[in-house]
Amino acid sequence: MIYDLIIIGLGPAGITAGIYAKRQNLDCLVVGKSFGGQMMNKSVDIENYPGFEKISGFDLMEKMREQLVQKGVQIIEDEVLEVKKKDNFFKVTLSSKEFHSKSIIIATGSSYRCLGVEGENNYLGRGVSYCTTCDGPLFRNKVVAVIGGGEAGFEAARFLSSYASKVYILEKGIEVLASKSNQEIVSSLYPKIEVILEVEMKKIEGEEMVKKIVFKKGEDEIILPVDGVFIQIGYVPASSIFNGLVDLSNRNEILINKETCETSTQGIFAAGDVSDGKVKQIVVACGEGAKAAMSVYKYLNKK
Ligand SMILES: Cc1cc2nc3c(=O)[nH]c(=O)nc-3n(C[C@H](O)[C@H](O)[C@H](O)COP(=O)(O)OP(=O)(O)OC[C@H]3O[C@@H](n4cnc5c(N)ncnc54)[C@H](O)[C@@H]3O)c2cc1C
């Protein structure tokens, strides 16, 4: 059998694409390594997904799963190892089987780059965060540290300073990597932000919630009391198996047309965190998933 569409990824983008594809009557298969994607962490609370004042990532993804299953979409939980294009068709190789389709939506997401220090995992959702948009508002009048002095770290610190009483940017290098203009804006307009250089992070400590971080600066061991730690040292898009099949950005994100979610390869579309869209959020992933499925429908109808 040749499917109209194979969607790779069972996170918000892939699930939404599946729901839309089914409603367009497409013969569609959704394959994902694991259901739910990044949100399946029980300690993550979502407060910016419309319709829910507050819901755990796990519960939100369970609701999305129920809707997909209830629509009767065909789902397989397995890893995609390879996608090949031959003429106008695609061969998708899983660890167990292979399938064929006329089009593909890649919705494989990404993962935040972890710091790898003691306490990081333990305090995730209890003071440690990788996402300022998601968790920044929870730190009103609190002291927070942003780990990473690149562009993302500076942007995060600026955003956080409208809530927090004090924001530290901790950078391991002898200078920050953020642009000169960003540095100038921060030093002239953001008095709450303080940059500390040559920091070797050691651990994150606390009780119920984060209370302090411990780092080395030269020979000194410094204990800095903070309520929150925002780790901003980059993310890794799950795009390596598509390298060579579609064009990637210098950050290894899949380049898409923002209106249609088309990639550089005809018949392949991409949605969600794996794409080069600027905002990595659930609603955006869902929006791109919907857009990609509608574009597939138009693409197949034109053929
Ligand atoms: C700790 C944390 C807190 C967050 N908090 C919020 C928040 O409060 N609000 C918000 O809007 N956003 C939040 N985010 C961001 C949000 O999780 C992402 O924007 C969203 O999950 C992106 O959805 P996605 O479908 O693009 O990718 P993902 O959720 O990453 O899903 C990717 C899917 O692809 C599958 N996959 C990957 N590679 C393969 C392969 N080779 N074969 C088969 N399947 C594969 C995965 O198993 C998964 O099913 C948070 C993220 C984290 C990590």
Side-chain angles (χ1 to χ4, degrees):
M1 157 170 192
I2 298 179
Y3 288 96
D4 289 328
L5 168 65
I6 295 179
I7 299 166
I8 308 170
L10 274 165
I15 293 175
T16 310
I19 292 168
Y20 272 73
K22 186 72 184 178
R23 286 171 63 87
Q24 302 295 328
N25 251 332
L26 299 181
D27 266 333
C28 161
L29 170 67
V30 192
V31 186
K33 216 167 11 179
S34 61
F35 228 113
Q38 295 170 54
M39 288 289 83
M40 289 308 267
N41 192 320
K42 283 197 171 159
S43 60
V44 174
D45 279 331
I46 313 297
E47 298 189 6
N48 56 5
Y49 191 80
F52 300 94
E53 192 76 19
K54 181 171 175 170
I55 184 166
S56 76
F58 185 87
D59 288 346
L60 180 61
M61 295 319 300
E62 275 299 308
K63 286 189 179 293
M64 289 195 195
R65 178 214 295 258
E66 277 166 25
Q67 194 175 355
L68 188 69
V69 169
Q70 189 253 334
K71 288 258 176 291
V73 177
Q74 197 187 337
I75 301 160
I76 295 181
E77 272 192 73
D78 195 356
E79 183 171 3
V80 171
L81 303 176
E82 189 183 55
V83 177
K84 278 199 163 162
K85 182 173 186 182
K86 188 151 189 265
D87 303 323
N88 276 330
F89 296 96
F90 298 95
K91 184 173 91 178
V92 178
T93 308
L94 277 55
S95 66
S96 52
K97 259 183 164 184
E98 57 184 50
F99 294 95
H100 296 86
S101 67
K102 298 175 196 165
S103 65
I104 298 281
I105 295 177
I106 302 170
T108 46
S110 67
S111 48
Y112 288 96
R113 189 163 277 135
C114 296
L115 197 56
V117 298
E118 193 183 321
E120 180 177 7
N121 280 341
N122 203 13
Y123 286 103
L124 179 64
R126 298 191 289 133
V128 172
S129 171
Y130 299 88
C131 178
T132 44
T133 319
C134 318
D135 299 326
L138 308 175
F139 291 83
R140 198 174 288 278
N141 298 325
K142 307 260 186 195
V143 178
V144 297
V146 173
I147 315 295
E151 210 62 5
F154 268 65
E155 287 300 333
R158 284 170 62 176
F159 178 76
L160 287 166
S161 72
S162 54
Y163 300 99
S165 57
K166 175 84 191 171
V167 182
Y168 294 99
I169 297 177
L170 305 191
E171 163 59 43
K172 67 176 182 187
I174 53 168
E175 56 181 44
V176 295
L177 292 173
S179 63
K180 284 277 173 275
S181 64
N182 217 343
Q183 291 180 45
E184 277 164 24
I185 292 170
V186 163
S187 64
S188 56
L189 298 175
Y190 289 82
K192 284 186 204 168
I193 300 178
E194 181 180 334
V195 178
I196 308 178
L197 298 172
E198 294 182 84
V199 165
E200 190 192 334
M201 275 293 291
K202 287 293 177 195
K203 52 186 163 179
I204 299 168
E205 291 185 332
E207 289 158 15
E208 186 54 35
M209 303 293 284
V210 166
K211 290 266 183 236
K212 58 189 167 197
I213 53 178
V214 182
F215 59 89
K216 275 195 93 176
K217 186 169 165 57
E219 291 304 303
D220 300 330
E221 183 164 278
I222 296 175
I223 298 172
L224 185 67
V226 295
D227 305 295
V229 184
F230 285 83
I231 297 165
Q232 298 288 313
I233 54 172
Y235 53 90
V236 189
S239 63
S240 57
I241 60 166
F242 309 109
N243 196 357
L245 183 69
V246 291
D247 287 350
L248 305 181
S249 72
N250 55 6
R251 293 174 170 184
N252 290 325
E253 296 163 324
I254 298 177
L255 294 169
I256 57 165
N257 173 324
K258 304 294 178 299
E259 302 246 310
T260 59
C261 292
E262 287 166 294
T263 67
S264 56
T265 302
Q266 232 194 19
I268 305 186
F269 301 74
D273 280 16
V274 76
S275 84
D276 67 328
K278 287 257 180 291
V279 182
K280 312 290 186 194
Q281 290 282 281
I282 305 167
V283 276
V284 177
C286 293
E288 283 186 3
K291 244 193 259 183
M294 300 299 283
S295 298
V296 165
Y297 177 73
K298 280 192 193 142
Y299 166 78
L300 293 175
N301 270 352
K302 246 195 243 161
K303 276 178 69 183

